[in-house]
Amino acid sequence: MNWRKIIHVDADSFYASVEMRENPGLIGQPIAVGGSTGRGVIATCNYEARKYGVRSAMPSSRARQLCPQLQILKPRFPLYRETSRQFHEIFRRYTEVIEPLSLDEAYLDVSEATACQGSATLIAEEIRASIKEELQLTVSAGVAPNKFLAKVGSDWNKPDGCFTLAPGQVASFVRELPVSRINGVGSVTAAKLEKLGATTCGELQAIPLETLARRFGKYGLRLSQLAHGEDNRPVQTSRIRKSISVENTYSDDLVDIDAMRTALEKILAELETRFHRIEEQYHPNKRFVKVKFDNFNQTTMEEVIPGNGEHWLQPGAYLALLESAWQRQSRPVRLLGAGLRLNPRHEVRESQLALFDN
Ligand code: TTP
Protein backbone atom coordinates (compact mmCIF):
# COMPACT_ATOMS: atom_id res chain seq x y z
CA MET A 1 0.00 0.00 0.00
CA ASN A 2 1.24 3.44 -0.92
CA TRP A 3 0.81 5.37 2.36
CA ARG A 4 1.52 9.03 2.23
CA LYS A 5 1.02 11.81 4.78
CA ILE A 6 -1.71 14.01 3.41
CA ILE A 7 -3.42 16.99 4.99
CA HIS A 8 -6.66 18.35 3.56
CA VAL A 9 -7.32 21.91 4.72
CA ASP A 10 -10.75 23.49 4.32
CA ALA A 11 -11.69 26.93 5.64
CA ASP A 12 -14.89 27.17 7.69
CA SER A 13 -17.76 29.07 5.99
CA PHE A 14 -15.04 30.79 4.03
CA TYR A 15 -16.54 33.91 2.40
CA ALA A 16 -18.77 34.53 5.42
CA SER A 17 -15.88 34.19 7.87
CA VAL A 18 -13.78 36.65 5.90
CA GLU A 19 -16.69 39.11 5.96
CA MET A 20 -17.10 38.69 9.73
CA ARG A 21 -13.42 39.28 10.24
CA GLU A 22 -13.59 42.48 8.19
CA ASN A 23 -16.68 43.64 10.08
CA PRO A 24 -16.78 42.14 13.59
CA GLY A 25 -20.20 43.73 14.14
CA LEU A 26 -21.56 40.82 12.06
CA ILE A 27 -20.30 38.17 14.47
CA GLY A 28 -23.16 36.31 16.13
CA GLN A 29 -25.71 37.41 13.55
CA PRO A 30 -26.94 35.23 10.70
CA ILE A 31 -25.22 36.37 7.52
CA ALA A 32 -24.77 35.03 4.02
CA VAL A 33 -22.69 36.00 1.03
CA GLY A 34 -24.31 35.91 -2.36
CA GLY A 35 -26.73 37.62 -4.68
CA SER A 36 -29.47 39.45 -2.82
CA THR A 37 -31.63 40.58 -5.72
CA GLY A 38 -33.85 38.79 -8.20
CA ARG A 39 -32.62 35.32 -8.88
CA GLY A 40 -29.63 35.63 -6.55
CA VAL A 41 -28.32 32.53 -4.81
CA ILE A 42 -26.44 32.04 -1.58
CA ALA A 43 -22.72 31.28 -2.06
CA THR A 44 -22.24 30.49 1.59
CA CYS A 45 -23.46 31.52 5.03
CA ASN A 46 -22.16 31.49 8.58
CA TYR A 47 -23.08 28.86 11.12
CA GLU A 48 -25.73 31.10 12.74
CA ALA A 49 -27.58 31.20 9.41
CA ARG A 50 -27.18 27.42 8.98
CA LYS A 51 -29.24 26.93 12.15
CA TYR A 52 -32.20 28.29 10.17
CA GLY A 53 -31.59 25.87 7.33
CA VAL A 54 -29.88 28.37 5.02
CA ARG A 55 -27.43 26.58 2.70
CA SER A 56 -25.03 27.20 -0.19
CA ALA A 57 -26.64 27.32 -3.64
CA MET A 58 -30.07 28.06 -2.17
CA PRO A 59 -32.04 30.89 -3.83
CA SER A 60 -31.66 34.00 -1.70
CA SER A 61 -35.43 34.46 -1.66
CA ARG A 62 -35.80 31.03 -0.04
CA ALA A 63 -33.04 31.87 2.46
CA ARG A 64 -34.91 35.03 3.46
CA GLN A 65 -38.07 33.03 4.04
CA LEU A 66 -36.20 30.68 6.36
CA CYS A 67 -34.40 33.50 8.16
CA PRO A 68 -36.02 36.92 7.70
CA GLN A 69 -33.25 38.77 9.59
CA LEU A 70 -30.54 37.26 7.33
CA GLN A 71 -28.06 39.84 6.04
CA ILE A 72 -26.92 38.99 2.54
CA LEU A 73 -23.59 40.56 1.61
CA LYS A 74 -22.15 40.99 -1.86
CA PRO A 75 -19.13 38.77 -2.47
CA ARG A 76 -15.74 40.52 -2.52
CA PHE A 77 -13.58 38.17 -4.55
CA PRO A 78 -10.32 40.18 -4.42
CA LEU A 79 -10.45 39.87 -0.65
CA TYR A 80 -11.03 36.09 -0.78
CA ARG A 81 -8.25 35.65 -3.32
CA GLU A 82 -5.83 37.61 -1.16
CA THR A 83 -6.81 35.48 1.86
CA SER A 84 -6.27 32.34 -0.20
CA ARG A 85 -2.80 33.55 -1.16
CA GLN A 86 -2.06 34.08 2.53
CA PHE A 87 -3.22 30.51 3.32
CA HIS A 88 -0.74 29.25 0.75
CA GLU A 89 2.06 31.35 2.23
CA ILE A 90 1.47 29.49 5.49
CA PHE A 91 1.21 26.06 3.79
CA ARG A 92 4.52 26.65 2.03
CA ARG A 93 6.32 26.91 5.37
CA TYR A 94 5.86 23.14 5.52
CA THR A 95 5.72 21.78 1.98
CA GLU A 96 5.82 22.75 -1.67
CA VAL A 97 3.58 19.85 -2.61
CA ILE A 98 0.25 21.67 -2.54
CA GLU A 99 -2.81 21.07 -4.70
CA PRO A 100 -5.45 23.78 -4.45
CA LEU A 101 -9.03 22.61 -5.01
CA SER A 102 -10.57 26.04 -4.63
CA LEU A 103 -9.72 29.30 -2.89
CA ASP A 104 -10.31 27.82 0.56
CA GLU A 105 -9.40 24.17 0.11
CA ALA A 106 -6.15 22.37 -0.59
CA TYR A 107 -4.33 19.08 -0.27
CA LEU A 108 -0.83 19.14 1.17
CA ASP A 109 1.58 16.22 0.92
CA VAL A 110 3.83 16.41 3.98
CA SER A 111 5.42 12.96 3.57
CA GLU A 112 8.84 14.58 3.19
CA ALA A 113 8.32 17.46 5.60
CA THR A 114 10.84 17.81 8.39
CA ALA A 115 8.97 20.31 10.59
CA CYS A 116 7.35 18.99 13.80
CA GLN A 117 9.57 15.87 13.59
CA GLY A 118 7.60 14.96 10.50
CA SER A 119 4.32 14.60 12.42
CA ALA A 120 1.53 15.43 9.98
CA THR A 121 -0.91 15.98 12.84
CA LEU A 122 1.36 18.50 14.54
CA ILE A 123 1.93 20.25 11.21
CA ALA A 124 -1.84 20.45 10.65
CA GLU A 125 -2.32 21.88 14.14
CA GLU A 126 0.45 24.44 13.58
CA ILE A 127 -1.10 25.47 10.28
CA ARG A 128 -4.49 25.88 11.95
CA ALA A 129 -2.96 27.90 14.80
CA SER A 130 -1.01 30.15 12.41
CA ILE A 131 -4.09 30.82 10.30
CA LYS A 132 -6.08 31.66 13.44
CA GLU A 133 -3.39 33.94 14.80
CA GLU A 134 -2.22 35.64 11.62
CA LEU A 135 -5.41 35.73 9.57
CA GLN A 136 -8.11 35.56 12.28
CA LEU A 137 -9.87 32.69 10.49
CA THR A 138 -10.55 29.09 11.36
CA VAL A 139 -9.90 26.14 9.08
CA SER A 140 -10.56 22.45 9.58
CA ALA A 141 -8.04 19.79 8.67
CA GLY A 142 -8.03 16.09 7.92
CA VAL A 143 -4.80 14.14 8.27
CA ALA A 144 -4.64 10.72 6.63
CA PRO A 145 -2.57 8.37 4.47
CA ASN A 146 -4.34 9.46 1.28
CA LYS A 147 -6.40 12.23 -0.33
CA PHE A 148 -9.77 10.52 -0.04
CA LEU A 149 -9.50 9.95 3.71
CA ALA A 150 -7.90 13.36 4.37
CA LYS A 151 -10.90 15.04 2.75
CA VAL A 152 -13.34 12.96 4.75
CA GLY A 153 -11.31 13.91 7.83
CA SER A 154 -11.47 17.67 7.33
CA ASP A 155 -15.25 17.43 7.38
CA TRP A 156 -15.38 15.15 10.43
CA ASN A 157 -14.94 17.74 13.18
CA LYS A 158 -15.93 20.87 11.28
CA PRO A 159 -15.87 23.78 12.16
CA ASP A 160 -12.46 24.54 13.67
CA GLY A 161 -11.59 20.87 13.97
CA CYS A 162 -8.83 18.46 13.14
CA PHE A 163 -9.15 14.74 12.58
CA THR A 164 -6.31 12.29 12.13
CA LEU A 165 -6.55 8.82 10.76
CA ALA A 166 -3.40 6.72 11.19
CA PRO A 167 -2.75 3.92 8.67
CA GLY A 168 -3.60 1.31 11.32
CA GLN A 169 -7.03 2.84 11.89
CA VAL A 170 -8.09 2.93 8.25
CA ALA A 171 -9.66 -0.53 8.01
CA SER A 172 -11.96 -0.13 11.02
CA PHE A 173 -12.78 3.49 10.12
CA VAL A 174 -13.99 2.77 6.59
CA ARG A 175 -16.04 -0.22 7.70
CA GLU A 176 -18.50 2.14 9.42
CA LEU A 177 -18.16 5.04 6.99
CA PRO A 178 -21.42 5.84 5.14
CA VAL A 179 -21.03 5.48 1.37
CA SER A 180 -22.47 8.99 1.03
CA ARG A 181 -19.15 10.31 2.40
CA ILE A 182 -17.37 9.12 -0.73
CA ASN A 183 -16.68 12.05 -3.01
CA GLY A 184 -18.86 11.58 -6.09
CA VAL A 185 -21.49 9.44 -4.39
CA GLY A 186 -24.58 11.62 -4.56
CA SER A 187 -28.14 10.64 -3.76
CA VAL A 188 -28.58 8.63 -6.99
CA THR A 189 -25.50 6.43 -6.52
CA ALA A 190 -26.26 6.11 -2.81
CA ALA A 191 -29.76 4.84 -3.63
CA LYS A 192 -28.37 2.31 -6.15
CA LEU A 193 -25.86 1.10 -3.57
CA GLU A 194 -28.55 0.79 -0.96
CA LYS A 195 -30.48 -1.50 -3.31
CA LEU A 196 -27.37 -3.66 -3.47
CA GLY A 197 -27.35 -3.73 0.33
CA ALA A 198 -24.67 -1.14 1.03
CA THR A 199 -25.10 1.98 3.13
CA THR A 200 -21.63 1.73 4.68
CA CYS A 201 -18.26 1.20 3.04
CA GLY A 202 -18.00 -2.10 4.97
CA GLU A 203 -21.14 -3.34 3.24
CA LEU A 204 -19.87 -2.00 -0.06
CA GLN A 205 -16.69 -4.05 0.38
CA ALA A 206 -18.84 -7.18 0.47
CA ILE A 207 -20.36 -6.57 -2.97
CA PRO A 208 -18.49 -8.60 -5.62
CA LEU A 209 -16.37 -6.51 -7.97
CA GLU A 210 -18.18 -7.96 -11.01
CA THR A 211 -21.49 -6.68 -9.69
CA LEU A 212 -20.05 -3.21 -9.15
CA ALA A 213 -18.45 -3.23 -12.61
CA ARG A 214 -21.75 -4.27 -14.18
CA ARG A 215 -23.70 -1.57 -12.38
CA PHE A 216 -21.22 1.30 -12.44
CA GLY A 217 -18.70 0.49 -15.18
CA LYS A 218 -15.19 1.80 -14.50
CA TYR A 219 -16.41 3.74 -11.49
CA GLY A 220 -17.31 0.39 -9.86
CA LEU A 221 -13.64 -0.47 -9.38
CA ARG A 222 -12.96 2.97 -7.99
CA LEU A 223 -15.86 2.61 -5.56
CA SER A 224 -14.48 -0.68 -4.35
CA GLN A 225 -11.02 0.81 -3.78
CA LEU A 226 -12.40 3.78 -1.90
CA ALA A 227 -14.60 1.52 0.21
CA HIS A 228 -11.39 -0.22 1.29
CA GLY A 229 -9.83 3.16 2.10
CA GLU A 230 -7.45 2.97 -0.86
CA ASP A 231 -6.62 5.98 -2.99
CA ASN A 232 -3.32 6.29 -4.83
CA ARG A 233 -3.81 9.70 -6.40
CA PRO A 234 -0.77 11.89 -5.79
CA VAL A 235 -1.11 15.49 -4.66
CA GLN A 236 -0.68 17.33 -7.92
CA THR A 237 1.05 20.64 -8.08
CA SER A 238 -0.11 21.27 -11.61
CA ARG A 239 1.05 24.84 -11.87
CA ILE A 240 4.50 25.51 -13.25
CA ARG A 241 6.08 27.95 -10.84
CA LYS A 242 7.46 31.19 -12.15
CA SER A 243 8.91 32.31 -8.84
CA ILE A 244 9.36 31.45 -5.21
CA SER A 245 9.47 34.02 -2.43
CA VAL A 246 9.27 34.58 1.28
CA GLU A 247 7.87 37.74 2.76
CA ASN A 248 7.12 39.10 6.16
CA THR A 249 5.02 41.95 7.48
CA TYR A 250 6.42 43.49 10.65
CA SER A 251 4.32 44.63 13.56
CA ASP A 252 6.84 47.45 14.10
CA ASP A 253 8.11 49.09 10.92
CA LEU A 254 11.79 48.60 10.13
CA VAL A 255 13.34 52.04 10.26
CA ASP A 256 17.00 51.61 9.35
CA ILE A 257 19.18 49.46 7.15
CA ASP A 258 20.56 47.48 10.11
CA ALA A 259 17.09 46.32 11.10
CA MET A 260 16.42 45.47 7.47
CA ARG A 261 19.65 43.50 7.16
CA THR A 262 18.74 41.35 10.18
CA ALA A 263 15.23 40.81 8.84
CA LEU A 264 16.61 39.94 5.40
CA GLU A 265 18.90 37.26 6.85
CA LYS A 266 15.92 35.45 8.34
CA ILE A 267 13.97 35.72 5.11
CA LEU A 268 16.88 34.32 3.09
CA ALA A 269 17.27 31.39 5.47
CA GLU A 270 13.61 30.51 4.94
CA LEU A 271 13.91 31.05 1.19
CA GLU A 272 16.83 28.62 1.10
CA THR A 273 14.83 25.95 2.93
CA ARG A 274 11.91 26.35 0.57
CA PHE A 275 13.97 26.45 -2.57
CA HIS A 276 15.71 23.20 -1.58
CA ARG A 277 12.37 21.43 -1.83
CA ILE A 278 11.92 22.31 -5.48
CA GLU A 279 15.44 22.68 -6.75
CA GLU A 280 15.31 19.41 -8.64
CA GLN A 281 12.61 20.86 -10.87
CA TYR A 282 13.66 24.49 -11.16
CA HIS A 283 16.73 26.61 -11.49
CA PRO A 284 16.74 30.28 -10.55
CA ASN A 285 17.59 32.89 -13.15
CA LYS A 286 16.89 36.11 -11.23
CA ARG A 287 16.86 37.21 -7.62
CA PHE A 288 14.56 39.93 -6.31
CA VAL A 289 13.55 41.82 -3.22
CA LYS A 290 10.24 43.44 -2.45
CA VAL A 291 9.71 46.36 -0.12
CA LYS A 292 6.44 47.82 1.09
CA PHE A 293 6.76 51.18 2.83
CA ASP A 294 4.65 52.49 5.70
CA ASN A 295 2.59 54.46 3.16
CA PHE A 296 1.79 51.10 1.45
CA ASN A 297 3.75 51.99 -1.68
CA GLN A 298 5.50 48.89 -2.90
CA THR A 299 8.56 48.36 -5.02
CA THR A 300 10.70 45.47 -6.22
CA MET A 301 14.29 45.30 -7.45
CA GLU A 302 15.63 42.35 -9.36
CA GLU A 303 18.75 41.23 -11.18
CA VAL A 304 19.89 38.36 -13.33
CA ILE A 305 21.96 35.82 -11.40
CA PRO A 306 25.31 35.38 -13.10
CA GLY A 307 26.30 31.89 -14.29
CA ASN A 308 23.82 29.04 -14.18
CA GLY A 309 22.00 30.26 -11.11
CA GLU A 310 23.69 27.84 -8.77
CA HIS A 311 25.13 30.56 -6.55
CA TRP A 312 21.93 32.44 -6.09
CA LEU A 313 22.18 32.74 -2.33
CA GLN A 314 24.54 35.67 -1.93
CA PRO A 315 23.40 37.77 1.01
CA GLY A 316 25.54 40.68 -0.21
CA ALA A 317 23.76 40.74 -3.57
CA TYR A 318 20.35 40.65 -1.90
CA LEU A 319 21.37 43.42 0.50
CA ALA A 320 22.50 45.60 -2.41
CA LEU A 321 19.11 45.10 -4.08
CA LEU A 322 17.39 45.93 -0.81
CA GLU A 323 19.38 49.12 -0.38
CA SER A 324 18.52 50.31 -3.89
CA ALA A 325 14.85 49.47 -3.38
CA TRP A 326 14.73 51.23 -0.05
CA GLN A 327 16.40 54.36 -1.40
CA ARG A 328 13.48 54.85 -3.76
CA GLN A 329 11.50 56.29 -0.84
CA SER A 330 13.74 55.98 2.24
CA ARG A 331 10.74 55.53 4.52
CA PRO A 332 9.99 53.03 7.30
CA VAL A 333 9.27 49.58 5.90
CA ARG A 334 6.29 47.43 6.87
CA LEU A 335 6.93 44.43 4.62
CA LEU A 336 10.06 42.84 3.27
CA GLY A 337 10.30 39.98 0.80
CA ALA A 338 12.99 38.13 -1.11
CA GLY A 339 12.67 35.63 -3.89
CA LEU A 340 13.81 33.96 -7.07
CA ARG A 341 12.44 33.91 -10.59
CA LEU A 342 12.54 30.35 -11.85
CA ASN A 343 12.89 28.28 -14.99
CA PRO A 344 11.89 24.62 -15.16
CA ARG A 345 14.94 22.35 -15.41
CA HIS A 346 13.21 19.90 -17.73
CA GLU A 347 11.29 21.64 -20.44
CA VAL A 348 8.73 18.91 -20.85
CA ARG A 349 7.57 17.76 -17.48
CA GLU A 350 6.17 14.35 -16.65
CA SER A 351 2.66 15.67 -16.11
CA GLN A 352 2.71 17.16 -19.60
CA LEU A 353 4.14 13.98 -21.13
CA ALA A 354 1.23 12.09 -19.68
CA LEU A 355 -1.02 14.05 -21.99
CA PHE A 356 0.54 12.30 -24.96
CA ASP A 357 0.27 8.82 -23.51
CA ASN A 358 -2.99 8.11 -25.21
P1 TTP B 1 -17.19 25.23 0.85
O1 TTP B 1 -15.82 24.87 1.35
O2 TTP B 1 -18.02 24.20 0.19
O3 TTP B 1 -18.05 25.76 2.08
P2 TTP B 1 -17.77 26.86 3.17
O4 TTP B 1 -16.31 27.16 3.29
O5 TTP B 1 -18.62 28.05 2.89
O6 TTP B 1 -18.32 26.20 4.49
P3 TTP B 1 -17.86 24.89 5.29
O7 TTP B 1 -16.70 24.29 4.54
O8 TTP B 1 -17.47 25.40 6.64
O9 TTP B 1 -19.06 24.01 5.32
O10 TTP B 1 -17.10 26.46 -0.13
C1 TTP B 1 -16.05 27.40 -0.08
C2 TTP B 1 -16.51 28.73 -0.63
O11 TTP B 1 -16.96 28.59 -1.98
C3 TTP B 1 -17.70 29.30 0.13
O12 TTP B 1 -17.33 30.08 1.25
C4 TTP B 1 -18.43 30.07 -0.93
C5 TTP B 1 -18.11 29.38 -2.24
N1 TTP B 1 -19.26 28.56 -2.70
C6 TTP B 1 -20.11 29.07 -3.67
O13 TTP B 1 -19.90 30.18 -4.16
N2 TTP B 1 -21.18 28.32 -4.07
C7 TTP B 1 -21.45 27.07 -3.56
O14 TTP B 1 -22.44 26.43 -3.93
C8 TTP B 1 -20.56 26.54 -2.56
C9 TTP B 1 -20.81 25.18 -1.97
C10 TTP B 1 -19.49 27.32 -2.16
Side-chain angles (χ1 to χ4, degrees):
M1 187 90 53
N2 191 0
W3 292 137
R4 299 181 170 98
K5 292 186 201 170
I6 310 293
I7 303 175
H8 179 256
V9 180
D10 186 5
D12 303 318
S13 60
F14 181 50
Y15 298 177
S17 301
V18 173
E19 295 298 336
M20 290 192 289
R21 179 190 67 187
E22 298 300 305
N23 180 0
L26 298 172
I27 296 171
Q29 302 181 38
I31 66 156
V33 177
S36 54
T37 52
R39 294 165 183 273
V41 293
I42 301 296
T44 192
C45 59
N46 65 0
Y47 285 78
E48 277 73 20
R50 291 181 199 195
K51 288 181 199 153
Y52 294 84
V54 179
R55 292 288 179 271
S56 292
M58 174 181 277
S60 301
S61 50
R62 172 82 186 125
R64 279 220 181 79
Q65 280 171 357
L66 291 169
C67 178
Q69 71 274 41
L70 183 70
Q71 295 185 57
I72 304 180
L73 311 168
K74 267 203 213 127
R76 292 191 283 176
F77 294 107
L79 192 55
Y80 313 144
R81 275 196 292 272
E82 169 63 8
T83 308
S84 181
R85 197 195 56 72
Q86 291 168 320
F87 285 157
H88 282 251
E89 270 280 317
I90 292 174
F91 300 158
R92 282 198 293 270
R93 294 175 194 166
Y94 301 89
T95 180
E96 290 292 334
V97 189
I98 301 168
E99 178 180 340
L101 295 177
S102 62
L103 287 181
D104 79 322
E105 222 182 301
Y107 290 113
L108 282 60
D109 187 330
V110 295
S111 308
E112 308 292 330
T114 49
C116 305
Q117 279 95 48
S119 159
T121 303
L122 291 180
I123 292 175
E125 285 297 15
E126 270 195 25
I127 288 175
R128 285 176 7 87
S130 303
I131 289 177
K132 199 175 280 183
E133 192 180 306
E134 296 170 35
L135 307 178
Q136 293 82 49
L137 291 170
T138 66
V139 300
S140 297
V143 183
N146 61 45
K147 282 164 83 168
F148 160 52
L149 294 168
K151 191 161 160 85
V152 171
S154 68
D155 212 31
W156 210 250
N157 288 326
K158 221 173 205 314
D160 197 11
C162 189
F163 181 79
T164 297
L165 201 59
Q169 300 168 312
V170 169
S172 61
F173 179 80
V174 291
R175 221 172 287 136
E176 305 302 323
L177 188 70
V179 292
S180 56
R181 291 275 189 164
I182 297 177
N183 214 357
V185 174
S187 52
V188 174
T189 309
K192 284 187 192 168
L193 286 171
E194 197 175 350
K195 274 198 188 139
L196 295 172
T199 53
T200 65
C201 288
E203 289 160 348
L204 176 49
Q205 289 171 13
I207 303 175
L209 208 47
E210 305 82 73
T211 312
L212 290 174
R214 207 175 333 111
R215 294 301 299 268
F216 301 100
K218 250 192 189 168
Y219 186 53
L221 174 62
R222 175 97 187 117
L223 276 175
S224 165
Q225 289 169 338
L226 293 174
H228 285 88
E230 293 165 16
D231 178 15
N232 275 330
R233 291 171 302 159
V235 172
Q236 277 183 320
T237 51
S238 55
R239 184 165 81 93
I240 296 184
R241 283 185 154 278
K242 298 224 166 64
S243 67
I244 182 167
S245 68
V246 175
E247 56 181 60
N248 205 353
T249 304
Y250 300 93
S251 40
D252 297 317
D253 291 343
L254 308 174
V255 291
D256 57 38
I257 202 75
D258 277 344
M260 279 178 248
R261 183 185 298 120
T262 312
L264 181 67
E265 277 167 14
K266 283 197 186 134
I267 287 176
L268 289 178
E270 177 65 24
L271 181 63
E272 188 180 15
T273 309
R274 283 199 212 162
F275 179 65
H276 270 317
R277 298 187 195 131
I278 57 164
E279 74 181 317
E280 268 176 37
Q281 298 133 48
Y282 296 97
H283 65 81
N285 60 353
K286 284 182 182 171
R287 57 169 80 90
F288 66 91
V289 297
K290 172 174 159 185
V291 173
K292 197 188 262 184
F293 297 100
D294 62 345
N295 59 1
F296 284 80
N297 284 347
Q298 181 176 306
T299 184
T300 59
M301 276 292 288
E302 62 179 51
E303 67 178 12
V304 172
I305 302 167
N308 58 4
E310 219 150 276
H311 302 291
W312 64 270
L313 183 61
Q314 288 171 331
Y318 270 102
L319 187 62
L321 287 176
L322 175 58
E323 282 174 350
S324 325
W326 183 58
Q327 277 159 13
R328 286 178 172 160
Q329 298 214 347
S330 300
R331 300 178 62 94
V333 164
R334 67 186 314 269
L335 175 150
L336 214 55
L340 294 165
R341 309 263 179 240
L342 304 170
N343 279 334
R345 284 194 193 274
H346 316 287
E347 281 308 321
V348 183
R349 284 156 39 102
E350 255 178 75
S351 56
Q352 293 167 321
L353 275 177
L355 290 176
F356 302 108
D357 274 352
N358 303 326

